[in-house]
Amino acid sequence: MSRTTGTAGGTMGADRPEIEIRGLHKSFGDNHVLRGIDLDVARGEVVCVIGPSGSGKSTLLRCVNLLEEPSRGRVLVGGTELTDPDVDIDAARRRIGMVFQQFNLFPHVSVTGNLTLPQRRVLGRGKAEALAVARENLERVGLAGKADAYPAQLSGGQQQRVAIARALSMGPEVMLFDEPTSALDPELVGEVLSVMRVLAGEGMTMMVVTHEMSFAREVADRVVFMDGGVVVEQGPAEQVVTRPARERTRDFLNRVLDPAAVRAPGVQQDDDGRGREDGRPDAPAGG
Ligand SMILES: Nc1ncnc2c1ncn2[C@@H]1O[C@H](COP(=O)(O)OP(=O)(O)O)[C@@H](O)[C@H]1O
Ligand SMILES: [Mg+2]
């Protein structure tokens, strides 16, 4: 794959994590949402973040690219400290692609326009180059045939794939996904997860907030369970999803994997691969 990722230079220490989060706190007024997060993501690693609604998952992702300003702590991406007051934040942000639950496409512009406009405005690319990059990335998400369509003519799954292609067109070194399939009808979830699976296989560094436990088990190198603004438990996906060590994690997983059954804590179905890609468990607390 001829990826137009960022330039290779500039990183000191090849073993340095791609994302470093240190002592991160975030408050909104007196709502202390993130209460000391320490987390590293290695280059090429896929980390899935799970946890109940309101636990601070979105806030964490938004702090990683400084869409929210941390109240305390440090965030480094590719060795650059984003929380350094002197950093060129626009340059630093260009290394980070973000995909939201709501696809946030420009409705009045074609698919191609959605992919070329940010490249031209933010990266200053010429028309021909932007178009070539757009084509390459539409192909990557399997939508080469929809270049001239408008967002409203596409299914939700296709729109989300366009949003992923748009982010990729900026050549990010890191991709953040915030519940990318939660707004989709169940039958459209798989096509978006497939694209993400391919990206992961290509070695993209990814942080993914998701309730798709089968995806997490299959694709994530590591699963991080958050509750109440802290990391309660983390480890290899298989371990955290099927043999969680902490009771809070078990309770959460029971609710997500089988929302219809509210079990007594501790009564756990701990084995088999009950995760399924289509039985989309929605946000457990309804939000
Ligand atoms: N921009 C904001 N202003 C005020 N409160 C916010 C803002 N964003 C999130 N919050 C609050 O932070 C808490 C965590 O929210 P969020 O990070 O969205 O959780 P999650 O993604 O895990 O559901 C919630 O109480 C939410 O109301
Ligand atoms: Mg959220």
Side-chain angles (χ1 to χ4, degrees):
M1 214 89 234
S2 60
R3 285 206 275 154
T4 31
T5 43
T7 52
T11 14
M12 342 184 281
D15 293 338
R16 172 157 212 164
E18 186 69 36
I19 302 174
E20 299 166 79
I21 300 166
R22 294 282 177 274
L24 179 65
H25 288 255
K26 175 66 184 177
S27 297
F28 296 103
D30 52 15
N31 186 5
H32 193 176
V33 173
L34 297 181
R35 298 165 172 260
I37 305 274
D38 291 284
L39 196 63
D40 282 348
V41 182
R43 183 155 311 147
E45 193 181 19
V46 178
V47 171
C48 280
V49 180
I50 63 173
S53 184
S55 57
K57 306 179 299 295
S58 295
T59 303
L60 174 62
L61 279 197
R62 293 168 63 82
C63 282
V64 169
N65 65 2
L66 248 60
L67 281 178
E68 297 289 356
E69 194 182 342
S71 308
R72 187 141 56 93
R74 303 168 69 211
V75 175
L76 292 87
V77 174
T80 302
E81 179 172 351
L82 274 67
T83 37
D84 178 342
D86 295 329
V87 79
D88 178 351
I89 189 63
D90 293 330
R93 264 205 202 110
R94 276 176 219 142
R95 314 170 98 130
I96 307 168
M98 184 143 180
V99 174
F100 302 88
Q101 182 175 328
Q102 306 298 343
F103 331 115
N104 299 344
L105 299 175
F106 300 123
H108 54 287
V109 184
S110 71
V111 164
T112 297
N114 268 279
L115 269 61
T116 53
L117 287 177
Q119 294 183 65
R120 302 198 63 191
R121 280 184 196 158
V122 178
L123 303 179
R125 283 182 185 153
K127 195 171 180 177
E129 186 189 3
L131 210 52
V133 172
R135 285 210 185 97
E136 180 192 333
N137 284 299
L138 280 179
E139 216 158 281
R140 238 167 137 186
V141 301
L143 289 175
K146 298 292 184 186
D148 298 325
Y150 284 79
Q153 299 171 311
L154 303 179
S155 73
Q158 290 171 331
Q159 290 185 55
Q160 190 60 300
R161 284 150 68 200
V162 170
I164 293 172
R166 175 181 57 182
L168 292 173
S169 294
M170 306 299 279
E173 290 158 40
V174 168
M175 287 281 285
L176 311 176
F177 295 86
D178 192 358
E179 300 201 35
T181 59
S182 293
L184 299 177
D185 290 332
E187 74 270 23
L188 304 177
V189 167
E191 65 191 66
V192 172
L193 295 181
S194 296
V195 167
M196 293 168 62
R197 200 178 281 119
V198 169
L199 270 187
E202 288 171 10
M204 179 63 79
T205 306
M206 294 164 57
M207 265 181 94
V208 184
V209 173
T210 186
H211 292 288
E212 299 290 338
M213 291 305 144
S214 58
F215 176 82
R217 277 181 64 173
E218 218 188 291
V219 180
D221 299 297
R222 191 150 43 103
V223 168
V224 171
F225 173 67
M226 276 180 73
D227 196 9
V230 297
V231 172
V232 172
E233 175 170 1
Q234 61 172 308
E238 188 64 27
Q239 179 191 311
V240 174
V241 175
T242 61
R243 294 181 313 284
R246 305 286 300 269
E247 177 137 356
R248 275 154 96 186
T249 317
R250 279 199 292 275
D251 289 349
F252 170 75
L253 287 168
N254 282 339
R255 277 182 283 139
V256 167
L257 291 173
D258 195 356
V262 180
R263 288 185 210 327
V267 182
Q268 199 211 345
Q269 311 200 332
D270 58 2
D271 43 11
D272 65 60
R274 293 171 68 246
R276 56 241 138 145
E277 228 154 71
D278 53 339
R280 173 174 66 102
D282 228 317

